[in-house]
């Protein structure tokens, strides 16, 4: 499994991690088994949020006895992101996850509390040993500029943003901004949430032919393409051990420049949208 630095001076983290949105909705035992299989296969970066129902409880079962192997990320809702609310929300997440610290804690998206308040809470949580680092999600470059002014260089570990083959908006400005400031980009919904290109489509055929050349699958090719830049990691969600195994193998797949160019043509980046797309 390829690893990447999680922010400037941050630890090395698996380039392919595990998302958990809706993981609590199906068979809980299968979900725990999927996460464990993912960990065994090197997908040690696990992403969750207080917003994701009981996902934190599912993760608690999956990481029991192996907490030190995991890079655990959770998120505070913007409606809780006041100075005090952030700390209370983090403590609730720690309790549900049955752990004493998060490796990274994110503001889920920008809300109405001043960013300085949330950052002050993050700093307090770091000082208390409850989080190791902090970051944001769904931040466009203007928000990142403002945050950088408040926090200073080297403090923002990551920006988690929407990125899949048919939604490449972050390539215009967010990825370059993050690369320049040592901020890891975590690509969410890498399979388009539930909208992966059909094998019968033109793009699906390109994915298929590249996959065949590597004895891989179209989804593995997609993950490898999305994580091709040095600062980008991705967090597909899988609720079965089979899917987790397939996704993890993408962490060892390297595409050639020609293959990347073919995917770039099959799934064009398109013009820069006025605002950052999010789910
Ligand atoms: P996704 O990872 O793009 O797609 C998940 C879908 O792909 C599920 O239906 C899953 O099915 C299927 N799948 C996964 N691996 C597969 C495989 N190998 N073969 C066939 N199907 C496969 O969607 P997502 O859950 O929206 O995004 C991933 C994670 O990003 C989330 O879980 C969450 O942690 C994070 N996220 C963050 C934000 C944010 O605002 N920060 C927003 C959205 C998502 P099964 O479940 O049946 O395996």
């Amino acid at each position: 499994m390829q690893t990447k630095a999680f922010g400037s001076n941050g630890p090395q983290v698996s380039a392919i991690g595990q998302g958990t949105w809706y993981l609590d909705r199906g068979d809980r035992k299968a979900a725990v088994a999927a996460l464990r299989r993912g960990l065994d296969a090197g997908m040690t970066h696990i992403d969750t949020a207080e917003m994701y129902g009981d996902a934190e409880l599912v993760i608690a079962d999956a990481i029991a006895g192996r907490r030190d192997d995991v890079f655990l990320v959770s998120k505070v809702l913007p409606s809780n992101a006041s100075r005090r609310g952030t700390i209370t929300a983090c403590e609730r997440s720690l309790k549900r996850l049955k752990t004493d610290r998060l490796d990274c804690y994110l503001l889920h998206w920008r809300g109405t509390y001043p960013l300085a308040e949330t950052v002050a809470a993050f700093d307090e949580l770091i000082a208390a040993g409850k989080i190791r680092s902090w970051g944001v999600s769904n931040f466009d470059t203007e928000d990142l500029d403002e945050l950088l002014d408040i926090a200073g260089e080297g403090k923002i570990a990551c920006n988690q943003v929407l990125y899949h083959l048919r939604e490449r908006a972050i390539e215009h400005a967010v990825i370059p901004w993050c690369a320049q400031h040592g901020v890891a980009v975590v690509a969410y919904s890498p399979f388009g949430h539930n909208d992966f290109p059909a094998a019968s489509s033109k793009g699906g055929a390109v994915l298929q032919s590249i996959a065949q050349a590597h004895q891989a699958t179209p989804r593995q090719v997609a993950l490898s393409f999305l994580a091709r830049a040095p600062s980008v990691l991705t967090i597909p969600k899988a609720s079965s051990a089979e899917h987790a195994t397939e996704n993890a193998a993408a962490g060892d797949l390297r595409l050639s420049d020609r293959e990347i160019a073919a995917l770039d043509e099959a799934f064009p980046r398109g013009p820069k949208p006025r605002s950052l797309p999010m789910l």
Side-chain angles (χ1 to χ4, degrees), residues 213-255:
H214 290 275
Q215 293 179 313
T217 68
R219 283 178 192 261
Q220 290 168 344
V221 171
L223 293 175
S224 179
F225 176 79
L226 296 170
R228 71 198 180 285
S231 60
V232 182
L233 304 90
T234 186
I235 45 167
K237 170 256 186 180
S239 19
S240 70
E242 291 70 24
H243 286 172
T245 305
E246 179 181 341
N247 299 345
D252 295 315
L253 174 62
R254 297 286 179 286
L255 302 176

Side-chain angles (χ1 to χ4, degrees), residues 19-21 47 52 75 108 137-138 160 188-194 219 235-240 243 246-247 279:
T20 61
W21 193 20
D47 177 78
Y52 300 165
K75 312 185 194 81
H108 209 146
S137 178
N138 298 301
Q160 189 180 118
Y188 73 68
S189 301
F191 298 144
H193 190 59
N194 245 331
R219 283 178 192 261
I235 45 167
K237 170 256 186 180
S239 19
S240 70
H243 286 172
E246 179 181 341
N247 299 345
L279 281 194

Side-chain angles (χ1 to χ4, degrees), residues 2-59:
Q2 193 190 352
T3 61
K4 297 191 179 182
F6 206 83
S8 51
N9 307 317
Q12 289 286 313
V13 173
S14 65
I16 315 291
Q18 308 196 67
T20 61
W21 193 20
Y22 290 110
L23 196 62
D24 59 330
R25 301 294 169 90
D27 179 339
R28 293 270 178 110
K29 267 195 183 152
V32 169
L35 286 172
R36 285 195 182 147
R37 179 77 70 82
L39 289 175
D40 294 341
M43 292 194 294
T44 49
H45 172 192
I46 297 184
D47 177 78
T48 191
E50 61 170 334
M51 193 188 102
Y52 300 165
D54 286 347
E56 290 179 324
L57 302 178
V58 176
I59 294 169

Side-chain angles (χ1 to χ4, degrees), residues 38-192:
L39 289 175
D40 294 341
M43 292 194 294
T44 49
H45 172 192
I46 297 184
D47 177 78
T48 191
E50 61 170 334
M51 193 188 102
Y52 300 165
D54 286 347
E56 290 179 324
L57 302 178
V58 176
I59 294 169
D61 286 349
I63 66 173
R66 57 196 305 185
R67 172 66 185 91
D68 290 346
D69 302 336
V70 182
F71 187 86
L72 187 56
V73 180
S74 192
K75 312 185 194 81
V76 58
L77 279 167
S79 53
N80 289 334
S82 64
R83 170 104 196 221
R84 190 102 312 271
T86 301
I87 288 162
T88 310
C90 180
E91 285 166 350
R92 275 197 307 264
S93 284
L94 291 175
K95 212 168 184 183
R96 282 196 297 264
L97 288 160
K98 297 202 175 92
T99 185
D100 59 351
R101 85 272 179 197
L102 294 171
D103 295 285
C104 195
Y105 195 39
L106 314 186
L107 173 60
H108 209 146
W109 63 90
R110 191 169 180 178
T112 51
Y113 285 109
L115 289 177
E117 263 201 52
T118 315
V119 169
F122 285 157
D123 285 342
E124 196 177 322
L125 287 165
I126 287 185
K130 291 178 179 170
I131 65 173
R132 295 258 158 92
S133 65
W134 61 264
V136 289
S137 178
N138 298 301
F139 267 45
D140 206 342
T141 51
E142 292 77 20
D143 301 314
L144 288 166
D145 282 334
E146 208 179 314
L147 185 64
L148 187 67
D149 276 349
I150 293 165
E153 292 282 353
K155 294 288 174 57
I156 311 165
C158 76
N159 184 22
Q160 189 180 118
V161 280
L162 179 64
Y163 188 39
H164 57 85
L165 290 170
R166 292 193 282 225
E167 184 44 84
R168 296 174 55 193
I170 61 163
E171 291 180 17
H172 290 284
V174 171
I175 293 180
W177 192 101
C178 290
Q180 189 189 338
H181 295 284
V183 174
V185 173
V186 179
Y188 73 68
S189 301
F191 298 144

